[in-house]
Amino acid sequence: MFILSESFYLDYLQFKVRWARDMHKPFTYTSDMQYPHTIFWLVYEGSWRMAVHGREHTAKPGDLLLFPPNTTIGLKKGENESIRYLSLCVDLKIGSLDLVTLYGLPPSASLTGSPFLQTFTDVWRHAVASFDLLGELITARKKEAPPAGEHTHIIHTDISLSFLGLQGALYEWLKQFMSIMRRHLPDEPLRFDHRVMKVCDYVRHHIDKPLRLRDLAGHVHLSPSHLSHLFVKTLGVSPLEYVRQAKIQLAKEMLVHSSCSVKEIAEKIGYGEQSQLSRYFSQTEGMSPLQFRNAATSAVTL
């Protein structure tokens, strides 16, 4: 009899939802936006001209669109036609690596005529309904109960059951999505040096510290040069460049999801000076942290 007793590779899967929505955009709507999480659309009515990282695309009914983290999305004015679509925003990662980017999945796929379309639509709508129910329960509880202390977590049975229902709906969504993308996925599993993955986890848990190459290398008992070789071979960047990217990515998420000042964010990601974060951020994103925060506020309508 089979027993799953050892660590399974899907233990590295991170699947955290930010929103699940049924969206509508009038033909007059225009916007240019970027968001630090993965976003999926399934268009079911109308069409829309858009630019994704500068490349023109027209979204049509039956189109499944994939936007990896930090994708620049420009929505052009529709030609007297609104658009309706299902939207899902998640962190979908293997370890610390975005799954869509990792597997090189296509930015769009037409499901028109596909046997998957109706089932996938139904599963997506169920996820939206589950997310809305969870939101209603959490909002109602916040109104009823006084705020908990800074170090206190309150566990509500009804909210927990609702969250588990949402998780079930999301994993069914993921199963359907991976089935649709099956022909784009490798037959053989991707192989990553476990020492690289271990350093990535170390960076994630010590992001508030100044991380040096010798500290990262020492964590996995390698020389700095050997670790650098493995990182470039596996991820295409040096360990310290990976650290910088991870810090900037977390800064983006905090700019979107918190009210922390830029100075506070700099401290939380291990930069002693606000100017250091601002300089690195501007070099990477072409805008200041506050400009990014202002621009990202419109992305919640994706």
Side-chain angles (χ1 to χ4, degrees), residues 144-179:
E144 295 170 0
E150 181 181 355
H151 302 290
T152 303
H153 294 281
I154 298 177
I155 299 175
H156 293 289
T157 301
D158 290 342
I159 290 177
S160 298
L161 290 172
S162 179
F163 179 74
L164 290 173
L166 172 61
Q167 289 295 96
L170 289 172
Y171 276 99
E172 182 58 32
W173 180 96
L174 182 59
K175 176 186 173 184
Q176 293 291 328
F177 171 74
M178 297 297 279
S179 297

Side-chain angles (χ1 to χ4, degrees), residues 22-27 29 44-45 82-85 301:
D22 191 333
M23 298 292 293
H24 168 255
K25 291 285 190 299
F27 74 92
Y29 185 88
Y44 65 87
E45 183 180 300
S82 62
I83 185 174
R84 295 182 182 274
Y85 58 95
T301 64

Side-chain angles (χ1 to χ4, degrees), residues 5-291:
S5 57
E6 297 183 1
S7 179
F8 196 50
Y9 67 91
L10 279 181
D11 289 343
Y12 288 102
L13 178 67
Q14 297 182 49
F15 191 29
K16 295 170 60 178
V17 65
R18 299 289 175 172
W19 72 64
R21 296 173 179 157
D22 191 333
M23 298 292 293
H24 168 255
K25 291 285 190 299
F27 74 92
T28 54
Y29 185 88
T30 61
S31 181
D32 287 286
M33 58 193 74
Q34 185 189 106
Y35 210 62
H37 306 288
T38 302
I39 297 175
F40 301 91
W41 284 12
L42 180 62
V43 181
Y44 65 87
E45 183 180 300
S47 61
W48 204 269
R49 291 187 305 113
M50 58 196 310
V52 181
H53 279 326
R55 299 183 62 179
E56 293 287 333
H57 178 80
T58 300
K60 304 178 296 299
D63 281 359
L64 172 62
L65 305 179
L66 288 62
F67 307 115
N70 308 312
T71 298
T72 301
I73 306 168
L75 301 180
K76 311 298 182 181
K77 185 176 180 179
E79 296 181 0
N80 298 319
E81 188 175 21
S82 62
I83 185 174
R84 295 182 182 274
Y85 58 95
L86 300 172
S87 175
L88 183 68
C89 177
V90 296
D91 289 319
L92 182 54
K93 300 178 180 179
I94 298 291
S96 300
L97 307 175
D98 173 65
L99 185 144
V100 173
T101 305
L102 179 64
Y103 285 101
L105 298 181
S108 65
S110 176
L111 302 187
T112 301
S114 167
F116 288 105
L117 179 57
Q118 188 57 56
T119 301
F120 193 40
T121 302
D122 292 343
V123 167
W124 205 321
R125 290 190 183 282
H126 179 53
V128 171
S130 297
F131 185 81
D132 287 345
L133 176 60
L134 177 63
E136 291 170 3
L137 287 173
I138 292 175
T139 301
R141 286 292 185 181
K142 283 183 177 179
K143 292 179 179 179
E144 295 170 0
E150 181 181 355
H151 302 290
T152 303
H153 294 281
I154 298 177
I155 299 175
H156 293 289
T157 301
D158 290 342
I159 290 177
S160 298
L161 290 172
S162 179
F163 179 74
L164 290 173
L166 172 61
Q167 289 295 96
L170 289 172
Y171 276 99
E172 182 58 32
W173 180 96
L174 182 59
K175 176 186 173 184
Q176 293 291 328
F177 171 74
M178 297 297 279
S179 297
I180 291 169
M181 291 289 128
R182 179 64 188 87
R183 65 189 180 91
H184 300 287
L185 300 173
D187 292 327
E188 294 295 324
L190 297 179
R191 300 182 186 277
F192 294 96
D193 192 295
H194 74 277
R195 292 166 294 186
V196 172
M197 300 296 283
K198 190 174 180 180
V199 169
C200 290
D201 285 341
Y202 181 84
V203 170
R204 182 159 56 93
H205 288 106
H206 296 81
I207 200 75
D208 60 330
K209 304 290 192 301
L211 295 168
R212 298 171 296 183
L213 178 58
R214 68 171 180 266
D215 297 329
L216 302 179
H219 181 64
V220 287
H221 310 293
L222 294 175
S223 69
S225 60
H226 192 181
L227 179 65
S228 296
H229 170 75
L230 289 178
F231 253 78
V232 172
K233 180 181 178 181
T234 304
L235 302 181
V237 296
S238 70
L240 292 184
E241 176 59 21
Y242 176 84
V243 169
R244 191 179 71 85
Q245 291 178 5
K247 287 179 181 288
I248 294 299
Q249 178 65 21
L250 182 56
K252 287 182 178 181
E253 294 175 13
M254 295 181 70
L255 286 165
V256 171
H257 299 299
S258 79
S259 58
C260 292
S261 68
V262 176
K263 183 177 185 296
E264 290 170 329
I265 292 173
E267 293 171 351
K268 289 177 182 292
I269 63 173
Y271 288 143
E273 299 292 336
Q274 175 179 331
S275 59
Q276 189 178 14
L277 170 59
S278 296
R279 182 171 67 255
Y280 286 153
F281 199 98
S282 297
Q283 290 172 353
T284 303
E285 304 303 319
M287 65 180 78
S288 71
L290 288 180
Q291 287 173 326

